[in-house]
Amino acid sequence: MLNNLHQPDLLEGLGLGQDARNLFVPSAWLDSGAAVLDGDGRIINLDEPLHDWLELRQESGAGTPLSEALGRRCSEAVVAFETLFRSSVDFSKIQFHSSVVGISAQQWYVMEMFRSPFSLTIRLASILPPLNELEEATWDEHLRSESSRRGMFMRLVRAESQLDQLMKRWPGVIFRQRPDLTFQFVSPNIEALTGVTVDDWSRQAGRFWEIVHDGDAEELQKQMQRAARSGAAASITYRVRHALTGKISYVLEQRQPVMTRNGLLLGYEGFWFDVTRQTIAEKRLSTASWKETLAVLTLGMAHDFSNIMAGIHSLSESYLSTVDESHEFAEGLTLIKKNSLQASQMVHRMINLHIGQAGERNYHDLNEIVGDLTSLVRRILPRRVQIKSELSEVQLPIYVDPVEFQQVIINLTLNAADAMTGGGELTLRNSRYEQMPPLRHFKGGRPKAPVVCLEVADTGCGISSRHIAVIFDPFFTTKGAQRGSGLGLYNAQLFVEKHGGAISVESEEGKGTTFKLWLPQATFEETKPAPAAVSQGPRRRQILLVGPAGDFFHRRTELLRSHGYQVLTANSMDAVLETLDAGHELDGAMLLVEPLDQTHELVVPEIQRRCPRMPKMVLQLVGRNADEIDSGTLEAIDLVLASDAVPADFQSKLQQMFGERQAAQ
């Protein structure tokens, strides 16, 4: 019977006065209560839970304005009710929190309003606070009732199910970190990216900074501190190093600090996304743009310097012819003449490097290439490095792109010099093998015998055994952040793969390293067209169509196929690279260039580099003008079409283009 009495009335029935009633702390938790109101917001009826929570004396509370009843209990509830009451929608809800006498934690509620033509229905219920509030509060103050515990259980089940599904399907890493940067939870695929198990991540506080690249750690710390002060999300790209292999990966991180209302940092939530491949493309594009600008500047200066040295050489030769060998100036003039000639020759070699165009394969003697570069690297490497060249006594013909080959050799010699900080010996050695020897650490494929080999050997510090397996990975470098890009050996690997060869490495810590470039010896039949395969009909021309997916792309695909072309389609850079790696014999490549799309600037050099026989290049502009395209790309294009080209004109120009190609063959 006592349970049916209102608690204030019970106190009066026991003879306790107003002071005792003031000591009574009403229940803050409301499982769920509802009230029906008239159009003026007065109570028509309300259920028992809400009646008790509002501490109304009359049985039904009928006629009492709900805002007045709420005001005696909770001022924040009045604000929430008036907000809903003024709205004109049929259904609305609002969350709010308030303080209750005798209870330290904030109490959270949800108020919902249902509007009908004749009345309003209000539902009010307690809810658990947000996680950051719940972590700071005394849990027992929120979880005393069965409904609150049930709500907590359902919240955990839903969150666990959603997180499990997301972590299985997300290609990156999702995490929640504590302030000490251990992980409360993290996607299992973090182990493949970092080499650290999920269990270790959850226990070892200092592990995070062990896998972050030294060159990026300081900037990452600043970003995290800034985010913790402001409470705003931080986005940053940085490098992480695999703990077991040393492999470098670029990750894009989105980090959101989790803070209390008082500014206490509870941790971080965020994700990683592996952007290594995109970073490679961006760095190549940036490097290519800078090299083009640098080439223009240095080429002009080299020409001017060459002219100056030519003048000095001529003047010294003229003066030398007017004096006897016994004259006191004869020796000095002879030295000036000799050195000016050497300087002029060196400048000419530099100019030849600039003039050469990548993608132009031809027959060369490996001895000549190495001999020319040896004299050049002697000038650019520090004097502490002694350079030796051991050239073969016989010619070593190879069919290569000399510009790319020279870039690879120079990069290997610069790496060797960096490994010999205290001085040492660098040896360039050429040789010929009738059969490929066994190789332990190599990239590429074993070339067809006989093969020629270029060795770049140094007596430097050597390569750690734990790094030897990953030195060819993109972005792997043991140099400081400002000294190496980590793409030198990766580009060497791409070069030998493109030329049907391999690159191997032999190293011993403290004694030195030897890189060997293995290339097939030229047969002088590389330029002959391959014999035509026996077929039942003429071979259809194969065209790679590149562009954003959409209606225009689809119509161009069908138009090409209707005219008898075999069409390979690619809607992304990754798809382009996969098609080129598959070894298709392309007759042409057609690039659809829409506004703001710069993919063609990456596609064109990749096709030039990867295709043994350069296909015809077609550029179709969609909502763009030809003068918006960079000059380097336009130089490689055989045909430019406007987006409004009619099908008949489209086909005739393609036929004309391929006809010119056919005649040339």
Side-chain angles (χ1 to χ4, degrees):
M1 183 174 71
L2 293 176
N3 291 335
N4 295 328
L5 294 175
H6 299 309
Q7 289 163 326
D9 295 337
L10 176 60
L11 293 174
E12 286 186 1
L14 294 175
L16 299 178
Q18 183 66 33
D19 293 338
R21 280 200 302 276
N22 291 339
L23 294 175
F24 172 71
V25 178
S27 172
W29 187 271
L30 173 62
D31 285 342
S32 181
V36 180
L37 313 178
D38 60 19
D40 296 325
R42 296 179 178 275
I43 298 174
I44 298 176
N45 197 5
L46 75 168
D47 61 9
E48 184 175 352
L50 184 58
H51 185 282
D52 293 343
W53 189 81
L54 291 173
E55 300 179 279
L56 295 176
R57 291 181 173 276
Q58 60 269 42
E59 286 297 327
S60 65
T64 303
L66 181 61
S67 59
E68 180 182 318
L70 291 171
R72 291 195 293 265
R73 181 61 195 268
C74 175
S75 61
E76 292 84 358
V78 177
V79 176
F81 170 71
E82 291 179 348
T83 301
L84 296 179
F85 188 73
R86 289 194 298 268
S87 67
S88 58
V89 297
D90 294 335
F91 171 77
S92 55
K93 68 177 181 179
I94 192 169
Q95 292 183 7
F96 63 93
H97 56 86
S98 67
S99 300
V100 176
V101 177
I103 298 179
S104 61
Q106 296 277 352
Q107 301 300 302
W108 286 74
Y109 302 93
V110 60
M111 182 181 292
E112 299 174 337
M113 185 192 72
F114 306 88
R115 188 182 297 274
S116 68
F118 307 104
S119 63
L120 302 174
T121 300
I122 294 292
R123 191 179 76 85
L124 183 64
S126 294
I127 58 173
L128 291 172
L131 183 59
N132 57 343
E133 294 288 336
L134 200 58
E135 286 182 345
E136 287 191 308
T138 303
W139 279 54
D140 192 45
E141 293 179 349
H142 292 289
L143 301 177
R144 290 174 179 172
S145 71
E146 178 64 26
S147 58
S148 65
R149 292 191 289 271
R150 189 183 306 114
M152 174 61 74
F153 175 75
M154 294 306 299
R155 177 187 287 188
L156 292 174
V157 170
R158 283 195 300 268
E160 185 177 278
S161 176
Q162 292 170 356
L163 182 60
D164 183 62
Q165 291 298 318
L166 186 59
M167 292 173 70
K168 288 179 179 178
R169 298 173 182 174
W170 181 256
V173 174
I174 304 173
F175 65 84
R176 180 181 174 90
Q177 278 181 305
R178 304 181 183 94
D180 65 355
L181 301 185
T182 56
F183 287 90
Q184 283 181 282
F185 69 82
V186 65
S187 304
N189 48 355
I190 194 174
E191 184 172 353
L193 192 62
T194 65
V196 181
T197 65
V198 173
D199 289 341
D200 286 345
W201 276 123
S202 64
R203 293 194 302 264
Q204 300 183 18
R207 207 63 199 265
F208 181 79
W209 295 113
E210 291 178 7
I211 64 101
V212 174
H213 194 282
D214 296 339
D216 299 334
E218 183 178 354
E219 179 61 26
L220 179 59
Q221 287 177 333
K222 291 179 180 178
Q223 292 277 4
M224 293 172 64
Q225 292 169 359
R226 191 177 299 119
R229 288 195 301 268
S230 65
S235 180
I236 184 173
T237 299
Y238 58 91
R239 291 166 287 180
V240 295
R241 192 189 305 273
H242 197 282
L244 303 179
T245 65
K247 179 181 179 181
I248 298 294
S249 300
Y250 275 73
V251 295
L252 169 64
E253 178 187 90
Q254 181 76 19
R255 178 180 293 269
Q256 174 66 57
V258 180
M259 321 244 342
T260 67
R261 295 172 60 202
N262 298 325
L264 176 65
L265 178 66
L266 300 177
Y268 300 93
E269 294 176 343
F271 65 85
W272 288 351
F273 195 74
D274 189 346
V275 293
T276 304
R277 194 161 189 172
Q278 295 91 318
T279 308
I280 291 175
E282 290 173 3
K283 283 185 176 290
R284 283 183 181 171
L285 182 60
S286 176
T287 301
S289 175
W290 167 240
K291 283 183 177 179
E292 183 178 354
T293 302
L294 188 63
V296 174
L297 296 174
T298 57
L299 191 58
M301 290 188 291
H303 275 294
D304 292 342
F305 184 74
S306 179
N307 292 336
I308 294 172
M309 296 311 300
I312 295 174
H313 180 268
S314 299
L315 193 60
S316 63
E317 189 175 38
S318 176
Y319 284 139
L320 189 62
S321 65
T322 62
V323 299
D324 296 329
E325 292 183 1
S326 59
H327 195 279
E328 61 178 335
F329 290 159
E331 184 179 356
L333 289 172
T334 301
L335 189 61
I336 292 173
K337 177 183 175 182
K338 178 184 176 181
N339 288 342
S340 62
L341 179 61
Q342 290 178 345
S344 181
Q345 290 173 343
M346 185 176 68
V347 171
H348 277 292
R349 291 192 185 100
M350 294 173 61
I351 292 174
N352 289 335
L353 287 176
H354 281 293
I355 294 176
Q357 295 294 320
E360 300 174 357
R361 289 198 198 186
N362 213 326
Y363 294 100
H364 299 271
D365 181 9
L366 181 60
N367 289 326
E368 291 184 4
I369 293 178
V370 175
D372 289 343
L373 283 178
T374 301
S375 60
L376 178 61
V377 297
R378 278 198 176 102
R379 303 288 181 178
I380 62 177
L381 293 186
R383 292 186 178 181
R384 68 174 186 272
V385 179
Q386 298 179 6
I387 302 174
K388 294 172 53 180
S389 63
E390 300 177 7
L391 305 183
S392 173
E393 296 180 355
V394 298
Q395 287 188 334
L396 300 176
I398 52 176
Y399 184 67
V400 296
D401 176 346
V403 176
E404 288 188 9
F405 195 24
Q406 289 166 345
Q407 291 172 351
V408 170
I409 298 173
I410 290 175
N411 187 72
L412 290 176
T413 59
L414 293 175
N415 285 348
D418 288 338
M420 297 183 287
T421 54
E425 186 175 272
L426 171 64
T427 303
L428 300 176
R429 183 182 297 112
N430 293 346
S431 54
R432 180 181 185 275
Y433 289 77
E434 291 296 335
Q435 296 294 332
M436 276 289 293
L439 303 176
R440 184 179 178 187
H441 302 293
F442 76 98
K443 291 291 184 180
R446 293 177 178 271
K448 186 183 297 184
V451 297
V452 298
C453 177
L454 167 63
E455 298 181 31
V456 181
D458 66 66
T459 57
C461 60
I463 301 173
S464 169
S465 57
R466 65 190 291 262
H467 293 156
I468 198 76
V470 295
I471 57 174
F472 294 102
D473 290 347
F475 302 120
F476 176 83
T477 179
T478 56
K479 302 177 184 178
Q482 303 301 321
R483 296 188 58 212
S485 65
L487 292 175
L489 292 179
Y490 176 66
N491 288 331
Q493 174 188 337
L494 295 180
F495 170 80
V496 295
E497 289 176 347
K498 176 181 176 180
H499 289 78
I503 180 171
S504 62
V505 58
E506 301 166 5
S507 185
E508 186 174 351
E509 289 188 68
K511 293 188 176 181
T513 302
T514 299
F515 284 97
K516 296 182 180 181
L517 296 169
W518 305 88
L519 295 169
Q521 180 175 302
T523 62
F524 298 98
E525 295 189 0
E526 285 82 4
T527 58
K528 292 182 179 180
V534 178
S535 61
Q536 300 299 320
R539 174 183 171 274
R540 291 196 300 164
R541 295 194 181 276
Q542 196 169 68
I543 293 181
L544 172 62
L545 182 63
V546 183
D551 183 65
F552 189 83
F553 184 90
H554 176 72
R555 284 189 280 113
R556 277 294 170 261
T557 304
E558 295 304 315
L559 181 60
L560 288 169
R561 287 173 177 165
S562 67
H563 288 294
Y565 298 106
Q566 183 180 353
V567 183
L568 304 173
T569 60
N571 300 123
S572 66
M573 191 62 197
D574 288 346
V576 171
L577 297 177
E578 290 176 5
T579 303
L580 296 177
D581 290 341
H584 294 285
E585 186 179 353
L586 297 177
D587 296 286
M590 184 172 179
L591 314 180
L592 306 183
V593 183
E594 296 187 355
L596 304 180
D597 180 21
Q598 303 298 323
T599 306
H600 60 283
E601 296 181 4
L602 300 175
V603 173
V604 171
E606 285 296 330
I607 292 178
Q608 290 176 324
R609 188 172 64 83
R610 292 172 181 250
C611 292
R613 188 183 67 171
M614 187 61 188
K616 286 293 185 180
M617 304 288 288
V618 183
L619 204 67
Q620 174 134 36
L621 305 175
V622 184
R624 297 185 69 168
N625 298 319
D627 56 4
E628 298 177 42
I629 309 301
D630 67 282
S631 58
T633 300
L634 288 176
E635 288 176 0
I637 300 301
D638 300 287
L639 176 63
V640 178
L641 296 171
S643 58
D644 57 356
V646 297
D649 188 38
F650 177 91
Q651 170 63 1
S652 65
K653 288 186 176 181
L654 287 181
Q655 286 179 335
Q656 182 182 4
M657 180 187 69
F658 284 124
E660 291 172 356
R661 174 192 175 111
Q662 202 168 23
Q665 291 178 343

